[in-house]
């Protein structure tokens, strides 16, 4: 039985997958407090001194390592001690252990890096470390107009690279075509706001009105959209309430269409968790395109999902499928 230590992914306990035993590590590691260095405060602000921010980027990790920060080195030692008996170690989130430490302490263990917040973090915390790893997985088939994510990792010298869909277990009943066909709610979006997403959501809301609902953990009790005008951005003048796990499931099971959008303003990444949640709950996935149309490697266009080019196109296609329950249900059922 191969033992695989997992960092950054919450597991209920030990998990057996075939010949592998997965177990979670790093639960006791804390990044509370600030690192010394007044110069960093002046040049980088609070993100330059708070440890929980420093370890999210290669620059911060390198500074803590070169300055021999005691708390940082202690946490690296703690993690390496926890994985001493592991055959492999998988980082599902930020790989905070400096690659030079890994190079010295790896032994016979295999270290695998996950690229899960890309393309925004690819050069911030991914590629600077990857030379010290034995392989990598990525969640987005697409990266940019110039290359797929597989192409990017190949050019970076990563020989063992794999696509891993960003899914999680969802306790679902078996949905019939009739379950998907007979739905009462229109279009929904559940997610936290990023700055440019809010404007896109506002345009959809103005166009679809009560047929479109938005939920998420927005700052200022959901009134963050009202404050955007203070910095010259278009406001979102509706209260946005959070929804519980059970509430989201209930919403998804009665909603016809799931509006999905990624963080990038131009076609880049594809395959966020919302993509799979939509299909799992029988909603029609109405999703923005990734770079080079590589999102079609996940769901086939117009057979398992519908993709839009811009917000005007998204609005037009939402209206079309709200009026065509048969086509909407057939695509959602195949997904």
């Amino acid at each position: 039985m191969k033992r695989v230590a997992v960092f950054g992914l919450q597991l209920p306990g030990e998990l057996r997958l075939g010949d592998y035993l997965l177990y979670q590590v790093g639960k006791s590691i804390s990044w509370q407090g600030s690192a010394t260095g007044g110069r960093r405060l002046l040049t980088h602000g609070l993100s330059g001194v708070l440890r929980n921010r420093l370890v999210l980027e290669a620059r911060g990790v390198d500074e803590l390592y070169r300055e021999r920060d005691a708390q940082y080195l202690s946490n690296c030692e703690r993690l390496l001690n926890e994985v001493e008996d592991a055959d492999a170690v998988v980082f599902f989130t930020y790989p905070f252990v400096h690659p030079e430490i890994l190079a010295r302490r790896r032994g016979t263990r295999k270290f695998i890096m996950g690229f899960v917040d890309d393309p925004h973090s690819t050069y911030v915390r991914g590629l600077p470390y990857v030379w010290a790893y034995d392989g990598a997985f990525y969640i987005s088939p697409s990266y940019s107009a110039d290359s797929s994510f597989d192409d990017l990792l190949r050019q970076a010298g990563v020989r063992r690279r794999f696509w891993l869909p960003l899914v999680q277990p969802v306790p679902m009943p078996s949905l019939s075509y009739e379950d998907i066909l007979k739905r009462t709610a229109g279009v929904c979006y559940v997610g936290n706001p990023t700055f440019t997403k809010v404007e896109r959501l506002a345009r959809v809301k103005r166009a679809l009105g009560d047929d479109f609902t938005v939920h998420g953990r927005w700052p200022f009790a959901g009134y963050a959209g009202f404050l955007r005008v203070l910095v010259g951005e278009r406001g979102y003048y509706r209260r946005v309430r959070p929804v519980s796990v059970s509430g989201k499931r209930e919403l998804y099971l009665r909603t016809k269409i799931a509006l999905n959008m990624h963080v990038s303003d131009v076609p880049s990444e594809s395959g966020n968790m919302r993509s799979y949640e939509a299909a799992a709950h029988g909603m029609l996935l109405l999703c923005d395109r990734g770079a080079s149309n590589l999102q079609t490697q996940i769901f086939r266009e117009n057979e398992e999902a519908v993709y839009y080019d811009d917000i005007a196109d998204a609005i037009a296609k939402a209206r079309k499928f709200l009026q065509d329950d048969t086509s909407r249900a057939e695509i959602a059922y195949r997904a």
Side-chain angles (χ1 to χ4, degrees), residues 175-183 281-282 328-329 332-333:
L175 294 175
S176 68
Y177 173 78
E178 287 70 26
D179 294 328
I180 295 173
L181 179 65
K182 298 176 182 179
R183 299 200 168 195
H281 291 82
R328 183 263 309 167
Y333 185 65

Side-chain angles (χ1 to χ4, degrees), residues 187-213:
V187 185
C188 76
Y189 174 89
V190 178
N192 300 332
T194 58
F195 213 74
T196 56
K197 269 189 185 182
V198 176
E199 181 173 356
R200 287 178 263 167
L201 292 171
R203 290 179 59 190
V204 177
K205 183 64 178 178
R206 281 194 298 274
L208 299 183
D210 292 339
D211 282 332
F212 182 48
T213 58

Side-chain angles (χ1 to χ4, degrees), residues 34-319:
S34 60
T36 58
R39 181 184 302 174
R40 286 206 303 265
L41 180 61
L42 293 176
T43 56
H44 303 298
L46 286 177
S47 293
V49 296
L50 297 178
R51 285 194 179 89
N52 63 342
R53 302 300 302 174
L54 280 166
V55 294
L56 295 180
E57 299 183 1
R59 172 191 59 80
V61 167
D62 189 52
E63 288 181 358
L64 292 172
Y65 170 72
R66 287 187 290 104
E67 294 170 5
R68 318 307 295 170
D69 182 86
Q71 182 179 344
Y72 170 76
L73 294 177
S74 174
N75 279 343
C76 290
E77 187 69 23
R78 181 178 295 128
L79 182 71
L80 291 172
N81 287 338
E82 286 189 41
V83 303
E84 187 173 358
D85 297 329
D87 296 291
V89 184
V90 182
F91 283 84
F92 276 84
T93 57
Y94 62 99
F96 70 86
V97 181
H98 196 280
E100 293 181 15
I101 296 177
L102 283 188
R104 292 196 307 269
R105 300 283 304 277
R106 64 184 317 106
T108 60
R109 292 164 296 191
K110 303 298 184 183
F111 285 84
I112 310 300
M113 177 189 292
F115 286 80
V116 299
D117 197 20
D118 303 87
H120 305 88
S121 68
T122 305
Y123 284 90
V124 173
R125 73 174 71 117
L127 289 185
Y129 304 92
V130 77
W131 63 268
Y133 285 74
D134 299 282
F137 70 86
Y138 54 93
I139 66 170
S140 173
S142 57
Y143 177 72
S144 71
D146 300 317
S147 66
S148 67
F149 219 100
D150 188 72
D151 289 335
L152 177 75
L153 294 181
R154 175 181 53 80
Q155 293 169 17
V158 181
R159 293 187 296 113
R160 298 179 180 91
R161 51 193 188 273
F162 307 91
W163 171 59
L164 183 70
L166 183 61
V167 297
Q168 62 181 358
V170 177
M172 289 297 303
S174 177
L175 294 175
S176 68
Y177 173 78
E178 287 70 26
D179 294 328
I180 295 173
L181 179 65
K182 298 176 182 179
R183 299 200 168 195
T184 57
V187 185
C188 76
Y189 174 89
V190 178
N192 300 332
T194 58
F195 213 74
T196 56
K197 269 189 185 182
V198 176
E199 181 173 356
R200 287 178 263 167
L201 292 171
R203 290 179 59 190
V204 177
K205 183 64 178 178
R206 281 194 298 274
L208 299 183
D210 292 339
D211 282 332
F212 182 48
T213 58
V214 178
H215 291 278
R217 295 188 299 272
W218 289 34
F220 301 104
Y223 289 105
F226 288 73
L227 304 177
R228 289 168 53 86
V229 294
L230 300 178
V231 291
E233 297 289 337
R234 182 178 296 176
Y236 187 92
Y237 304 113
R238 300 291 184 109
R239 174 73 185 272
V240 178
R241 292 181 172 85
V243 62
S244 65
V245 173
S246 60
K248 183 172 74 170
R249 182 179 178 214
E250 188 277 331
L251 172 67
Y252 281 178
L253 287 173
R254 61 182 172 85
T255 298
K256 298 180 179 182
I257 300 172
L259 178 67
N260 190 28
M261 58 181 64
H262 294 78
V263 177
S264 297
D265 294 319
V266 298
S268 299
E269 73 274 20
S270 56
N272 56 13
M273 191 173 292
R274 196 180 299 108
S275 303
Y276 303 99
E277 287 182 336
H281 291 82
M283 294 182 289
L284 171 66
L285 173 62
L286 179 58
C287 184
D288 50 352
R289 295 187 186 277
S292 303
N293 265 344
L294 291 182
Q295 78 286 339
T296 58
Q297 293 184 2
I298 306 174
F299 294 110
R300 295 189 296 271
E301 185 164 10
N302 297 326
E303 295 181 42
E304 298 169 327
V306 175
Y307 300 106
Y308 60 86
D309 297 305
D310 52 34
I311 291 302
D313 189 34
I315 293 169
K317 287 176 176 174
R319 286 171 169 163

